[in-house]
Amino acid sequence: MHIDPMVRSAAAATSQVKRKSNQERADLLREIANEIEGLGDELLETASAESNLPLVRFQGERARTCRQLRMFAATIEEGSYEEPTIDTAQAERKPLPKPDLRSLLIPVGPIVVFGASNFPLAYSTAGGDTASALAAGCAVICKAHPAHPRTSEMVAGAIQRALKKCNFPPAFFSHWVARDFDEVKALVQHPLVKGVGFTGSLSGGMAIHKYAQERQEPIPVFAEMGSVNPVILLPNALVDKAGHWAETYASAITMGVGQFCTNPGLLFAIEGEALQHFVSLLSAHLLNIRDYKMLHPGIHDNFVKRKEMVLGTKGVKAMAVVSASGEHTGTPVLALVDAEDFRNHATLHEEVFGPFSMVVACKDRDDLMSCLDVLQGQLTSTLIATPEDDEDVKSLLPILNEKAGRIIYNGVPTGVEVCDAMVHGGPFPATTDARFTAVGNKAIRRWLRPVAFQNCPQNLLPAILQDKNPTAAWRNINGQLTKADV
Amino acid sequence: MHIDPMVRSAAAATSQVKRKSNQERADLLREIANEIEGLGDELLETASAESNLPLVRFQGERARTCRQLRMFAATIEEGSYEEPTIDTAQAERKPLPKPDLRSLLIPVGPIVVFGASNFPLAYSTAGGDTASALAAGCAVICKAHPAHPRTSEMVAGAIQRALKKCNFPPAFFSHWVARDFDEVKALVQHPLVKGVGFTGSLSGGMAIHKYAQERQEPIPVFAEMGSVNPVILLPNALVDKAGHWAETYASAITMGVGQFCTNPGLLFAIEGEALQHFVSLLSAHLLNIRDYKMLHPGIHDNFVKRKEMVLGTKGVKAMAVVSASGEHTGTPVLALVDAEDFRNHATLHEEVFGPFSMVVACKDRDDLMSCLDVLQGQLTSTLIATPEDDEDVKSLLPILNEKAGRIIYNGVPTGVEVCDAMVHGGPFPATTDARFTAVGNKAIRRWLRPVAFQNCPQNLLPAILQDKNPTAAWRNINGQLTKADV
């Protein structure tokens, strides 16, 4: 499809949908979920065939995708996400009367979504970016991911059927197959495109970001580009529960062939017998985990290249390397390095996308702190500790706060819960805008901007800003949150 | 001061201030307001001498500046601005237990502030950008504006005394005099700078924005770059109240020598007798308004240049031109053009900063709508109407929504109320990020990012995320807003 007419239609659809109610958009999101479920096992089988991931994984991913859509439906139905804010007039105020001011959030305009290869359902065609943008009232142009074209097409078909059923303009969602990068550039740079959502690699995200920067009009670009997700194993936890954590982490490192943006890629600990014991347990577990085919040959090639680059770096030792059982499989790898060598080689600070993790053995607390200093922004940071480690944790938390969007205590970073408090984001290069999350209800805020109405008569105001509160949404009236009428 | 040590100190100060409570930061903001008031008449006289604006104007501007500081103090004391969000664990959930997740907003890091020449107090050294960033917990590096260096230094001194009195690190606020643009560039591109606030011209804002784009790490840049602020005079209003609106607009166009970013620069109406009558009344009022010295010779030169460019454009007629009474005065000008000539000349769509406005005479409603299409993003749009114009207003509102951050009904765009519902922002080129406001409580959101804590023990959580609600702030607990404990 030609880019210009597609974007113009998306902009027109955004304007048309502004005349529909939140309830109508909520119904659409639920219908999309129904249609996706209606695709049945064929969708799961297609996604599995295209991604080399097991069928059971797609039962979970489909459930998550549909749950996200229904979550946003409930959110927009309720209405508080529009942040309705009312400051009533004070005609007698001196020296000047205070006007009546009322504001709410409105959609920014058409959004281009680039889905991720590693989540063909939950972070792709009808994934979090699409769901949050449609919920916001923004038309979506979704670039089909070349790693799962049939899955993407099936999901796009479900969305298009839902649009028809709910009487929405078909251009409120477009499914677009790019022929080359020039087309992607032309799309991102189209004047009527008002935002971009991207999930994928650092190089891919930065290319999109650069296209956007070349525009005359700056637009929001939220690119989630992965992360090394450092884990800090504190001394008492290593002594007390080495077995538990070795088993837990062997599983977290290899789950989904390690193809998660929250895969734990770096394990920091203080050297000594306890760490040696933990490393031997973790290695043993990893040696017992079989390898599986990766998402696509490109991801596999990159995994092999990055892994070899890291293993070839001065001071890095391979602790557990499983030999490949077949073509394009991701064979789990555990590496070990000391803190000084880690700090000195920037290639060790970057993600190896796949079933890979590296233990960084530090001399002492200061040595460990110096390692954290060189880390870039992260989606997550994890602390493995016991209450006896509290003092260490207290000194680490302010540092981890500055590095990551989510801090996990005694757990694994994999598994991104869809809820209000989730933050799936973080300082660059984890994302291009740390002020937002890509997962959970608040992901919608990326695609909204405020508009205020000054001294506007009741009959001309949007319903949610009129004196009578139509949906009992929470509103800020003269500085107080309330569900009451004005 | 050298840039690198200054930014490093600002980053260190941001970290140190994270250990202080919201109450301590609120006390600091109030102390800054007290210190500014303590500068007495000398501040007002200095600002007046440096800006050519009358003393009485600075009584109002000082009051506004101090009110903003105290407003942010109350906001951070209360705590809801941190958006505390709690999702409690569900250990029994199938197939996987739900973790406990708790998130809040934290400061992004040091912010560079470029104040405006036209508001030496309220939008400059201790203006909205500085106040909101300090409230957020971000250290501020403020570039002194060369048009009011002594005013800026006095205000900076007040801030520094307040920092000392409240036992804050001095580097939490730095006052910086740039020697050249290379230094400005180096500052904006310093890796430890995490955000920029700018108020000023389009060319200035875009230069800063470009510096920021050249960084490796993208950072939030909120540049407020002014606007033409279109006003639409609807037919019935022109008939009913031509005299009232002519007088009101003569005053709005020339107040502060027209040096407001919300100055009404374009007046759209449908041609005919009523419009002719309005134009003659407005011209007569303008001819009676004396001219005053503009802020500085550069602003005056630019005003003359832009005004002459517009008046020299095909089809533009000068309706009221007052002859200059002295050097560097801003002489009020009213111009008239028809819709077609307006649409055909892009130079007419851009701001003339000063006491200038242009009436665009349209043939009919469609002709008027076509003019709105060519307008770029705006801070404000204004509708002058009577209830008989409601149908026109209803068809105009969706268009104005897409163009502007604030819509005024039967008023003037000048005068930006400081309150929760204010939106002082808007689509590009009014600002570089329409998702935020520069004025009002919500301006603080520009300098905050979310962080989540997963399964974190109570004693290690920030106080506002613990089960017990320490300040009775509004918190989102399992999807419900409440002031209760967990």
Side-chain angles (χ1 to χ4, degrees), chain B residues 1 22 58 118 124 127 140 177 184 236 248 320 332 353 375 383 414-415 430:
Chain B
M1 195 180 196
N22 289 1
F58 288 104
N118 61 338
S124 189
V140 166
V177 180
V184 171
N236 291 295
T248 304
F353 192 77
L375 287 181
L383 286 161
T414 44

Side-chain angles (χ1 to χ4, degrees), chain B residues 251-327:
Chain B
S251 160
I253 292 163
T254 55
M255 190 169 48
V257 205
Q259 299 166 120
F260 290 123
C261 48
T262 52
N263 201 52
L266 288 171
L267 310 175
F268 294 93
I270 292 169
E271 62 186 20
E273 263 178 51
L275 178 59
Q276 282 169 23
H277 180 55
F278 171 79
V279 170
S280 66
L281 290 174
L282 179 56
S283 300
H285 281 296
L286 287 173
L287 289 169
N288 281 326
I289 291 173
R290 61 155 290 200
D291 57 343
Y292 291 93
K293 242 189 184 166
M294 295 190 78
L295 285 162
H296 57 79
I299 292 244
H300 174 263
D301 292 351
N302 191 53
F303 170 63
V304 171
K305 203 180 91 188
R306 280 284 300 135
K307 180 183 71 175
E308 285 174 1
M309 196 183 290
V310 169
L311 292 179
T313 302
K314 179 181 168 293
V316 177
K317 287 188 270 289
M319 300 305 293
V321 182
V322 185
S323 55
S325 71
E327 208 191 12

Side-chain angles (χ1 to χ4, degrees), chain B residues 123-384:
Chain B
Y123 289 78
S124 189
T125 318
D129 284 352
T130 296
S132 59
L134 296 179
C138 299
V140 166
I141 296 170
C142 173
K143 178 189 164 290
H145 200 293
H148 51 259
R150 283 187 300 138
T151 307
S152 193
E153 208 179 321
M154 285 180 80
V155 172
I159 299 175
Q160 279 148 359
R161 281 192 298 281
L163 287 169
K164 195 167 181 186
K165 218 160 170 178
C166 298
N167 201 25
F168 272 65
F172 196 51
F173 176 86
S174 307
H175 189 237
W176 178 70
V177 180
R179 279 177 299 194
D180 53 36
F181 282 115
D182 285 345
E183 280 200 345
V184 171
K185 181 174 169 176
L187 177 61
V188 169
Q189 296 186 344
H190 193 289
L192 294 178
V193 164
K194 299 297 180 189
V196 176
F198 172 94
T199 310
S201 67
L202 180 63
S203 59
M206 290 312 287
I208 301 295
H209 184 64
K210 191 166 173 295
Y211 292 158
Q213 283 190 326
E214 290 164 8
R215 296 171 54 101
Q216 204 221 331
E217 175 187 357
I219 54 170
V221 176
F222 187 91
E224 189 261 272
M225 302 178 293
S227 170
V228 202
N229 304 295
V231 177
I232 301 165
L233 300 133
L234 287 166
N236 291 295
L238 262 191
V239 171
D240 277 16
K241 290 190 140 189
H244 168 73
W245 290 120
E247 190 176 352
T248 304
Y249 268 84
S251 160
I253 292 163
T254 55
M255 190 169 48
V257 205
Q259 299 166 120
F260 290 123
C261 48
T262 52
N263 201 52
L266 288 171
L267 310 175
F268 294 93
I270 292 169
E271 62 186 20
E273 263 178 51
L275 178 59
Q276 282 169 23
H277 180 55
F278 171 79
V279 170
S280 66
L281 290 174
L282 179 56
S283 300
H285 281 296
L286 287 173
L287 289 169
N288 281 326
I289 291 173
R290 61 155 290 200
D291 57 343
Y292 291 93
K293 242 189 184 166
M294 295 190 78
L295 285 162
H296 57 79
I299 292 244
H300 174 263
D301 292 351
N302 191 53
F303 170 63
V304 171
K305 203 180 91 188
R306 280 284 300 135
K307 180 183 71 175
E308 285 174 1
M309 196 183 290
V310 169
L311 292 179
T313 302
K314 179 181 168 293
V316 177
K317 287 188 270 289
M319 300 305 293
V321 182
V322 185
S323 55
S325 71
E327 208 191 12
H328 299 144
T329 59
T331 56
V333 179
L334 184 69
L336 179 68
V337 71
D338 71 28
E340 196 182 340
D341 283 324
F342 173 76
R343 282 193 298 270
N344 289 340
H345 297 97
T347 193
L348 306 183
H349 313 162
E350 289 158 23
E351 187 177 19
V352 179
F353 192 77
F356 177 93
S357 198
M358 181 161 60
V359 174
V360 182
C362 307
K363 284 199 184 60
D364 51 29
R365 282 172 181 75
D366 288 348
D367 204 29
L368 195 154
M369 292 288 193
S370 306
C371 287
L372 299 183
D373 278 349
V374 305
L375 287 181
Q376 295 183 290
Q378 306 287 338
L379 291 170
T380 72
S381 289
T382 302
L383 286 161
I384 305 296

